[in-house]
Amino acid sequence: MSFPHERLAANPHDRTAERREDEAWLAGRWADPDTRVLVVSGTRIRPRDGQIDWVSPGDAPEGLRVLLGEHDDRAWFAVVVDAEVSKAAAQGEWTPLRGLLPRLADDAVAAAPLVFHALGLAEWLFATRFCPRCAEPLRPRRSGHELVCANGHSQFPRTDPAVIMVVTAGTPGADDERCLLGRQAVWPEGRYSTLAGFCEPGETLEDAVRREVREEVGVRVGEVEYFGNQPWPLPASLMVGFVGRAETTEVTVDQDEIEDARWFTRAEMRELAEAGTLVLPGGVSISRSLVEHWYGGTLPGHW
């Protein structure tokens, strides 16, 4: 079966990294009316008629030009303008990435990886203003993919690996097999999702799965199997999905990150989801894909 999160990684663009300092090529592609540009204010964009609004270079405002690459025989750029533009605009006019995810999955104009690339870089540029080694101001080069200070120290975009996992217990595929989901206190009633957390220095991804599950819900995990991954520039993560097999099943939530966690059989999950008392993650998230992978099919309802 195909999984919801795969739609957000489909049809990727050629990032043409070798062209990021080719000023003649960049000027030529910017002059091409077929080139498309995404305007980003801080880390927000402004949709048009419910779709991602890619404009021609002639309609793009002044700002930092970021080369995204080539896709469908076109060049694609982002123009990053001051964050104050979206703050000063009408409420709701500029939208953060989280609010765009449902639209991205079915966007017929351009692949979601282009938007993830643009907003991931915009977030990094917005947050990275001064050199961490000497505190000098940083200026962009290589079409927005590198920052350098007056002392020649370079900074590059970072991606933080995070693990996200569905934890199972019982005989695989049996009627009484269960999966473990948790919820945070700030979520509306009925929302549950897979557990997740960041990988720490010197730690394998598999050990990060075991540590996070034990810390958050007190369950020991043994076997850990890789499932897939999803870029998640909120602000700069790569979500790496796993299926973990529980060695213990007693749940003791930490009451810090997790308010409640519980085991679900497939029958319970279907019944509660149909009743609307269990609300599962959004349809384009790897969390949803992990749950439906375990369940063996699609489920009703989502955030």
Side-chain angles (χ1 to χ4, degrees):
M1 61 181 291
S2 62
F3 295 103
H5 79 281
E6 293 173 334
R7 298 203 301 273
L8 292 183
N11 202 17
H13 53 292
D14 179 354
R15 294 178 177 239
T16 56
E18 72 280 4
R19 296 292 194 180
R20 290 171 184 166
E21 294 182 287
D22 188 338
E23 297 299 333
W25 185 90
L26 290 167
R29 298 316 298 264
W30 188 261
D32 186 345
D34 285 337
T35 290
R36 286 295 173 264
V37 182
L38 183 66
V39 181
V40 184
S41 174
T43 57
R44 295 170 177 256
I45 67 174
R46 182 167 50 188
R48 181 186 297 271
D49 298 328
Q51 298 294 321
I52 308 302
D53 189 20
W54 294 92
V55 302
S56 68
D59 292 328
E62 290 297 319
L64 174 62
R65 294 182 191 176
V66 174
L67 173 66
L68 303 177
E70 294 184 304
H71 179 66
D72 287 346
D73 299 320
R74 285 177 167 175
W76 300 76
F77 288 81
V79 167
V80 181
V81 300
D82 195 288
E84 296 302 319
V85 172
S86 60
K87 289 181 181 178
Q91 184 70 25
E93 188 176 0
W94 291 82
T95 306
L97 176 58
R98 195 177 293 276
L100 297 168
L101 290 174
R103 301 169 185 173
L104 280 177
D106 301 311
D107 194 331
V109 178
L114 282 162
V115 179
F116 277 13
H117 188 176
L119 291 181
L121 277 175
E123 167 67 35
W124 173 68
L125 292 165
F126 177 73
T128 312
R129 308 291 184 87
F130 300 95
C131 178
R133 295 180 62 185
C134 66
E136 288 290 327
L138 293 165
R139 56 180 176 82
R141 66 183 183 188
R142 298 190 72 245
S143 296
H145 289 76
E146 181 181 354
L147 293 171
V148 64
C149 72
N151 293 321
H153 302 141
S154 290
Q155 305 299 318
F156 297 92
R158 61 178 295 165
T159 297
D160 301 319
V163 293
I164 184 166
M165 46 278 182
V166 60
V167 179
T168 66
T171 303
D175 289 342
D176 62 349
E177 186 188 23
R178 297 174 292 167
C179 86
L180 180 65
L181 302 180
R183 59 171 277 106
Q184 297 181 15
V186 297
W187 292 351
E189 189 67 27
R191 284 192 180 183
Y192 281 79
S193 185
T194 49
L195 303 179
F198 285 102
C199 186
E200 294 190 349
E203 185 176 48
T204 68
L205 294 169
E206 291 82 0
D207 282 342
V209 170
R210 298 182 181 102
R211 175 184 54 77
E212 285 287 344
V213 175
R214 187 178 178 188
E215 287 177 355
E216 293 184 353
V217 297
V219 172
R220 290 182 178 272
V221 170
E223 179 184 354
V224 175
E225 180 183 357
Y226 173 73
F227 170 76
N229 66 88
Q230 180 181 59
W232 198 250
L234 295 167
S237 300
L238 177 69
M239 305 300 295
V240 188
F242 293 91
V243 178
R245 298 294 299 178
E247 294 182 337
T248 64
T249 57
E250 182 178 352
V251 173
T252 305
V253 297
D254 63 6
Q255 294 297 336
D256 180 16
E257 295 185 58
I258 302 298
E259 176 197 55
D260 183 45
R262 58 170 293 192
W263 295 95
F264 297 86
T265 65
R266 291 179 178 84
E268 289 170 338
M269 183 173 288
R270 158 76 61 184
E271 179 183 356
L272 294 172
E274 287 179 342
T277 53
L278 171 64
V279 185
L280 296 168
V284 295
S285 69
I286 192 170
S287 180
R288 179 76 175 207
S289 297
L290 282 163
V291 173
E292 292 190 342
H293 167 68
W294 170 79
Y295 179 78
T298 57
L299 284 159
H302 58 80
W303 295 9

